[in-house]
Amino acid sequence: MQTQARTRASLRFQAFPHFANGAPRPFVISFPPTRRHVRVRCSAASDGGSIGGNPQPQVQQRKAYPFDAIEPRWQRYWEENRTFRTPDEVDTSKPKCYILDMFPYPSGAGLHVGHPLGYTATDILSRYKQNEGLQCFASDGLGCLKSLGFSYDWDRELSTTEPEYYKWTQWIFLQLFKKGLAYQAEIPVNWCPALGTVLANEEVVNGVSERGGHPVVRKPMRQWILKITAYADRLLEDLDDLDWPESIKEMQRNWIGRSEGAELEFGVVDSQGYEQGLKLFIVVAPEHPLLSSLTTEAQHEKVEHYGELASKKSKDRSFSGSYAINPATRETIPIWIADYVLGSYGTGAIMAVPAHDSRDYEFALKYDIPIIRVVSRTDRSDDDSEPYVDDGIMINSSNSLSGLNINGLSCKDAASKVIEWLESTGHGIKKVNYKLRDWLFARQRYWGEPFPVVYLDDSGEVVPLQENELPLVLPDLDDFNPTGTGEPPLAKARSWVNTVDPVSGRHARRNKYNATMGWYYLRFMDPKNPTALVDKDKERYWSPVDIYVGGAEHSVLHLLYARFWHKVLYDIGVVSTKEPFQCLINQGLILGEIEYTAFKDQEGRLVSAESVGITDNHFQERIPAEKYSRLVARAYKMSKSRGNVINPDDVVSEYGADSLRLYEMFMGPLRDSKTWSTGGIEGVHRFLARTWRLIVGPPLPDGSYNCGTIATDDEPTLDQLRSLHRCIAKVSEEIQETRFNTGISAMMEFVNAAYKPFVLLLSPFAPHMAEELWSRMGHQESLAYEQFPEAESEFLKDSNIVLPVQINGKTRGTILVDEACSEDDAFRLASEDEKLSKYISERMIKKRIFVPGRILNVILDHHKINREKVVEEAGTRANHAI
């Protein structure tokens, strides 16, 4: 077998869970080896046995086919022979395909059958591309699913917790620092004292932590920030060239949130109307730098209290006591404080438009602020019960003092005219704003990459380490628990924190925080390189990632950050592409099996599900489906708390890895959510068992199987060849479009005498069985690099025609035949036809007239027919006489 270059890589994921004593241990998440499935029979007194008697011996359940022997054998073969090894040196004469799974963060327990879904899909794609002759490079982020037969190049295994890896993460940070894209700032963060860490906004719900429900407060901390906003326009523009789901691209556009508008100046007056010499908007953020100046003495206590509520993510509001002057109308407008205004967005203050913004509308209703419509509804409705947020024509928007009149203009034209007026009068300027904020990069945990900088004790100056001093290695710690003071665990390593600047020799401190950066997609290209992040030639060959697969929950943050630092690396010449991931595929969820829920009233009587919700006096109960008929059926996301987790170990043990792989792809389109069904996997398992019996034969009396196969060397028929090539075309098309379920359906309908190409079709989906069958057919090498079957066009044509059938020259019906059908085959089909068969009897046929592709005329012998009738009638009369 020719050893074509093939790269598969995996990642050994290490995590540090907390234990009771506070000391973490690194662990590798993995599925245990395949286990034999046994059934234990126990004697019982009712069966004449004795509870205290000798236990019955274990009885092994006979398998539908011997997957428990086949799968470990071929996994060992692939590993020992390094079947999927890719040479370090790339072969630029071959086309490439780089397939990657997103880096996962699973917990150490509770893995379920949904986790292998994306990895199975990418493995099928990779095996298929490899069989097409491409130089394939695929990697996963879990690196522990050997029991499912994934074709990874284990020589490219890497760990992001090793200094050899995070040395280059620190190197990337230094490049960001040199370009002014990494800076420190004092910013308010979501601090959770109970968890001892800073939380992202998405991790705080109603003032408490999403994990554990602990109180969260806003607390200023000095943190490292990455200036992602400097790349906002490029991050927007380059989305257009990516083969990503449009919904994901739209999420990123909304997250970046580019908007064109104006920055206005409002003069501020106090409650007596005196100018305060301040310039700002109307609704300000709780952390606005001018807040203390705006707050009157009468409102001081209320504003102070609101600041505390806002730090806990409250939805309340507070009046500052000051007013602003609208430059267009010269009217005074109250200045309020609200936490839906972000201090980091624009100037941290906005002009409220309650008639046309949902949050401003709720605000105005609660505090009895006038709501004035300035945009007419395009639907000509007078409904004022909710804000109108669509485009329309401006109304109530003119002022004789300022000379500004935008009535009758569209919103877009009105905005342009207002900006022009503001700039001409000196009240404001045109401004582009982004919702996107610079990225808080530091994390309060032990594991991660230490920042490669020191702070001089005498001046506080930040001094970056020299590149030849990398990596800065984490210190050894006995206690990894949070300090509870806001400082991260690294603060406990005092001898490591207190250091000297290696250049000047002055006393200095190391940063107590650390961070992580997901650039692993580049390191897989060149995982052992000690002198560079990635070799330029290898990066130029493999970039970008051709197919990137992961959950839609990573649609914004991870993908946006990865795109950001990839663009930075592009600007400094490290990478050759503007984007890291060309094609993105989001796999759907695998939900637990359907659960059935019944509802009871307070007396315990079953009630109709439709009546639930009218009152709260009903109780929910999960019960077996067969017990009651008035049920609500629903599938839920798998979770330990619901107890609906399907463990992949158990599935592999009972049905085999190939059955799990095949079923997960057969359940439905990769991108859709699907419901697990034990009955479904049993059906797929029966298909594999049927394939095994057709090619290998039935088991011997002792349960073993003969060597080799029972397949013959007979040439397949024309119908079989047509069926085969239609199947090849369908499977190839569906794999390329990641519609694996319909490709599998085509295979299930096919299995016939063309065994060799069928086994190759099966191999990406069920590689263990395919390898075993291939070997039994007499092949000495793995099928991993065999050419995938190609459909031949001559067998794909629809050659069926409708052939009229005549009896004695009169058309009595039609049959569907191949255009190359012979006379005998046409006559056989006519004889089997329900309508035509009553006219045809072999002993009464005088002759047949057959014009290929045109007609079949059966001429009957009338003399024989008449004699038959005479004999039949005589027999009938004799029966009556008797």
Side-chain angles (χ1 to χ4, degrees):
M1 183 188 78
Q2 59 177 356
T3 306
Q4 298 185 26
R6 154 89 162 131
T7 305
R8 294 289 306 221
S10 71
L11 176 66
R12 177 167 61 92
F13 171 67
Q14 289 188 325
F16 294 83
H18 290 286
F19 293 87
N21 61 4
R25 298 194 296 267
F27 68 98
V28 178
I29 303 168
S30 64
F31 294 111
T34 303
R35 303 185 299 270
R36 286 186 179 273
H37 177 77
V38 297
R39 180 173 294 164
V40 180
R41 291 181 179 172
C42 298
S43 59
S46 60
D47 293 328
S50 167
I51 294 178
N54 295 327
Q56 297 291 323
Q58 290 185 340
V59 178
Q60 180 178 328
Q61 181 185 24
R62 176 168 289 186
K63 308 290 186 182
Y65 73 96
F67 62 83
D68 52 338
I70 294 170
E71 292 177 354
R73 176 163 64 249
W74 284 103
Q75 289 165 16
R76 286 193 301 271
Y77 175 92
W78 294 328
E79 186 170 5
E80 291 168 2
N81 290 274
R82 302 169 79 195
T83 302
F84 306 108
R85 175 77 177 110
T86 293
D88 290 328
E89 299 304 318
V90 298
D91 184 352
T92 56
S93 66
K94 295 179 180 177
K96 64 91 179 181
C97 186
Y98 183 5
I99 304 171
L100 180 68
D101 285 283
M102 288 186 186
F103 194 102
Y105 289 92
S107 62
L111 291 176
H112 57 71
V113 290
H115 289 106
L117 177 65
Y119 306 119
T120 303
T122 53
D123 189 60
I124 291 169
L125 281 170
S126 183
R127 287 177 179 270
Y128 171 77
K129 296 288 186 182
Q130 167 187 279
N131 291 144
E132 281 193 320
L134 275 72
Q135 183 165 228
C136 278
F137 175 13
S139 87
D140 81 328
L142 204 51
C144 57
L145 305 182
K146 286 188 177 182
S147 67
L148 290 181
F150 295 150
S151 51
Y152 300 128
D153 176 5
W154 293 99
D155 289 345
R156 290 181 179 256
E157 184 179 21
L158 59 86
S159 170
T160 59
T161 62
E162 297 298 329
E164 293 79 12
Y165 176 88
Y166 66 68
K167 164 186 177 179
W168 298 106
T169 306
Q170 294 172 337
W171 183 88
I172 295 173
F173 176 82
L174 290 179
Q175 313 315 306
L176 293 167
F177 184 79
K178 292 174 185 176
K179 289 177 64 67
L181 297 173
Y183 64 94
Q184 284 191 295
E186 190 92 2
I187 61 171
V189 298
N190 301 315
W191 168 248
C192 178
L195 296 177
T197 190
V198 171
L199 301 177
N201 288 334
E202 295 76 15
E203 297 173 306
V204 181
V205 180
N206 296 326
V208 298
S209 62
E210 186 179 38
R211 178 167 61 94
H214 304 294
V216 175
V217 297
R218 298 283 283 177
K219 178 178 180 178
M221 286 188 179
R222 189 163 184 79
Q223 301 279 8
W224 277 103
I225 311 291
L226 297 186
K227 197 173 183 179
I228 191 173
T229 53
Y231 282 72
D233 283 327
R234 288 170 62 182
L235 289 168
L236 270 177
E237 294 163 3
D238 293 343
L239 279 172
D240 295 336
D241 298 327
L242 298 178
D243 182 14
W244 288 17
E246 191 57 38
S247 60
I248 301 299
K249 292 199 279 189
E250 192 61 23
M251 285 182 188
Q252 293 216 353
R253 293 187 185 106
N254 291 336
W255 190 267
I256 295 169
R258 187 182 191 276
S259 62
E260 294 185 3
E263 187 172 289
L264 291 74
E265 287 188 351
F266 288 81
V268 179
V269 296
D270 59 21
S271 58
Q272 305 301 317
Y274 293 108
E275 293 268 356
Q276 291 187 270
L278 303 174
K279 304 287 186 180
L280 80 166
F281 293 74
I282 303 301
V283 182
V284 300
E287 62 269 26
H288 196 286
L290 295 181
L291 184 58
S292 59
S293 301
L294 293 173
T295 306
T296 62
E297 185 175 345
Q299 293 295 121
H300 179 78
E301 185 175 340
K302 290 183 179 180
V303 171
E304 191 86 4
H305 176 65
Y306 172 71
E308 296 179 6
L309 293 176
S311 73
K312 299 176 182 178
K313 309 297 287 182
S314 165
K315 299 299 181 185
D316 207 351
R317 310 287 184 261
S318 180
F319 175 50
S320 69
S322 294
Y323 297 81
I325 300 174
N326 187 327
T329 65
R330 307 306 300 169
E331 295 175 350
T332 57
I333 306 172
I335 299 173
W336 291 77
I337 304 102
D339 62 2
Y340 73 83
V341 181
L342 303 175
S344 56
Y345 179 73
T347 62
I350 64 168
M351 174 71 176
V353 281
H356 307 289
D357 180 273
S358 57
R359 289 175 301 184
D360 292 344
Y361 181 81
E362 293 173 3
F363 190 127
L365 285 180
K366 182 173 181 178
Y367 295 100
D368 198 24
I369 298 173
I371 300 175
I372 302 173
R373 282 200 300 162
V374 293
V375 180
S376 65
R377 303 178 68 100
T378 55
D379 58 9
R380 302 186 182 278
S381 166
D382 293 327
D383 182 14
D384 289 332
S385 61
E386 59 183 22
Y388 179 69
V389 297
D390 294 326
D391 288 335
I393 302 301
M394 301 302 298
I395 58 175
N396 300 324
S397 299
S398 67
N399 186 272
S400 57
L401 294 177
S402 65
L404 180 63
N405 184 355
I406 54 176
N407 282 334
L409 297 180
S410 67
C411 292
K412 182 178 180 181
D413 292 341
S416 298
K417 186 171 182 179
V418 168
I419 292 171
E420 182 181 332
W421 179 86
L422 288 169
E423 291 186 323
S424 66
T425 58
H427 290 299
I429 58 173
K430 184 175 182 179
K431 186 78 172 181
V432 175
N433 275 328
Y434 300 89
K435 290 182 181 177
L436 179 68
R437 301 191 296 278
D438 284 344
W439 176 21
L440 174 60
F441 191 53
R443 292 294 181 268
Q444 293 176 305
R445 56 195 174 205
Y446 170 77
W447 64 276
E449 297 83 40
F451 284 97
V453 298
V454 296
Y455 304 85
L456 299 180
D457 285 352
D458 53 9
S459 65
E461 179 187 355
V462 178
V463 179
L465 297 183
Q466 300 298 310
E467 292 181 10
N468 60 10
E469 296 177 293
L470 302 180
L472 174 59
V473 180
L474 284 167
D476 292 329
L477 283 182
D478 295 326
D479 181 8
F480 296 83
N481 286 316
T483 61
T485 64
E487 289 195 307
L490 284 177
K492 301 175 183 179
R494 293 186 176 85
S495 61
W496 180 85
V497 172
N498 297 313
T499 184
V500 295
D501 174 21
V503 176
S504 65
R506 294 152 69 184
H507 290 287
R509 292 168 289 107
R510 291 196 173 104
N511 196 294
K512 302 170 188 176
Y513 299 89
N514 53 30
T516 58
M517 187 181 293
W519 61 276
Y520 55 90
Y521 62 93
L522 293 172
R523 194 60 175 175
F524 278 129
M525 302 175 186
D526 191 17
K528 310 298 182 188
N529 194 331
T531 60
L533 184 149
V534 61
D535 177 79
K536 286 186 177 295
D537 290 337
K538 293 177 181 178
E539 183 280 327
R540 193 176 297 111
Y541 177 77
W542 287 114
S543 286
V545 174
D546 295 284
I547 301 173
Y548 196 35
V549 177
E553 65 271 17
H554 304 294
S555 58
V556 174
L557 300 183
H558 159 62
L559 290 172
L560 199 61
Y561 298 155
R563 293 180 62 221
F564 161 58
W565 55 64
H566 189 88
K567 290 181 182 300
V568 175
L569 294 175
Y570 174 79
D571 289 348
I572 63 176
V574 175
V575 298
S576 59
T577 62
K578 294 181 180 180
E579 290 286 337
F581 317 116
Q582 182 57 37
C583 174
L584 175 68
I585 297 175
N586 298 130
Q587 84 270 16
L589 296 174
I590 293 184
L591 305 175
E593 295 214 47
I594 293 177
E595 298 176 9
Y596 297 88
T597 305
F599 296 89
K600 294 181 179 181
D601 60 19
Q602 288 183 317
E603 284 72 36
R605 294 172 300 195
L606 286 171
V607 296
S608 170
E610 286 77 11
S611 68
V612 176
I614 298 174
T615 70
D616 294 329
N617 299 323
H618 296 95
F619 303 95
Q620 181 175 313
E621 180 181 356
R622 290 169 60 183
I623 57 177
E626 65 274 6
K627 193 171 181 181
Y628 300 111
S629 59
R630 289 172 288 182
L631 302 172
V632 171
R634 179 182 171 186
Y636 295 86
K637 185 177 179 180
M638 289 189 187
S639 67
K640 290 179 288 185
S641 60
R642 287 202 70 85
N644 64 346
V645 169
I646 305 295
N647 191 300
D649 283 347
D650 298 335
V651 177
V652 170
S653 175
E654 186 165 356
Y655 299 102
D658 283 344
S659 291
L660 177 58
R661 291 170 58 109
L662 202 61
Y663 177 59
E664 293 213 343
M665 297 299 101
F666 180 66
M667 291 173 71
L670 176 63
R671 295 168 173 83
D672 293 354
S673 292
K674 300 159 282 279
T675 301
W676 180 269
S677 168
T678 300
I681 193 170
E682 288 172 350
V684 167
H685 189 61
R686 287 194 297 270
F687 161 71
L688 289 176
R690 179 165 63 96
T691 301
W692 177 264
R693 292 193 302 271
L694 283 171
I695 299 177
V696 175
L700 299 174
D702 64 356
S704 63
Y705 291 86
N706 282 320
C707 297
T709 70
I710 60 172
T712 66
D713 294 329
D714 296 342
E715 287 294 321
T717 65
L718 182 61
D719 283 343
Q720 287 176 331
L721 285 173
R722 284 179 176 147
S723 177
L724 167 66
H725 285 274
R726 290 191 188 104
C727 182
I728 292 172
K730 185 67 173 176
V731 172
S732 297
E733 177 187 355
E734 300 307 283
I735 289 179
Q736 293 181 71
E737 296 297 325
T738 64
R739 296 190 295 257
F740 304 113
N741 55 312
T742 48
I744 294 171
S745 296
M747 282 195 301
M748 288 180 169
E749 295 171 2
F750 167 67
V751 190
N752 67 28
Y755 294 131
K756 177 180 176 180
F758 175 76
V759 169
L760 291 173
L761 284 179
L762 183 65
S763 62
F765 301 94
H768 306 91
M769 174 179 280
E771 288 275 23
E772 181 70 15
L773 295 176
W774 189 254
S775 174
R776 284 171 173 264
M777 289 176 179
H779 300 281
Q780 300 300 311
E781 301 289 346
S782 166
L783 54 63
Y785 295 98
E786 288 293 325
Q787 180 67 37
F788 199 79
E790 293 183 4
E792 297 180 22
S793 58
E794 63 180 291
F795 297 113
L796 298 178
K797 297 176 182 176
D798 187 2
S799 58
N800 289 336
I801 60 171
V802 177
L803 184 72
V805 178
Q806 294 183 343
I807 306 297
N808 290 334
K810 184 176 182 179
T811 301
R812 296 291 186 179
T814 61
I815 55 176
L816 190 67
V817 301
D818 188 87
E819 61 183 0
C821 180
S822 66
E823 179 181 336
D824 288 341
D825 285 340
F827 180 75
R828 175 179 55 79
L829 290 171
S831 301
E832 294 171 353
D833 183 84
E834 181 180 358
K835 182 179 179 181
L836 294 169
S837 61
K838 64 183 181 181
Y839 297 104
I840 299 174
S841 174
E842 285 280 0
R843 62 180 181 274
M844 298 180 188
I845 295 174
K846 185 175 182 180
K847 67 175 181 178
R848 299 186 312 216
I849 301 172
F850 179 67
V851 180
R854 301 289 297 277
I855 198 169
L856 170 65
N857 189 3
V858 180
I859 307 299
L860 304 180
D861 188 329
H862 288 289
H863 294 295
K864 288 184 178 181
I865 294 174
N866 290 334
R867 285 198 298 271
E868 289 280 347
K869 286 183 177 180
V870 170
V871 172
E872 184 179 350
E873 290 172 358
T876 302
R877 287 195 297 271
N879 287 334
H880 284 305
I882 293 172

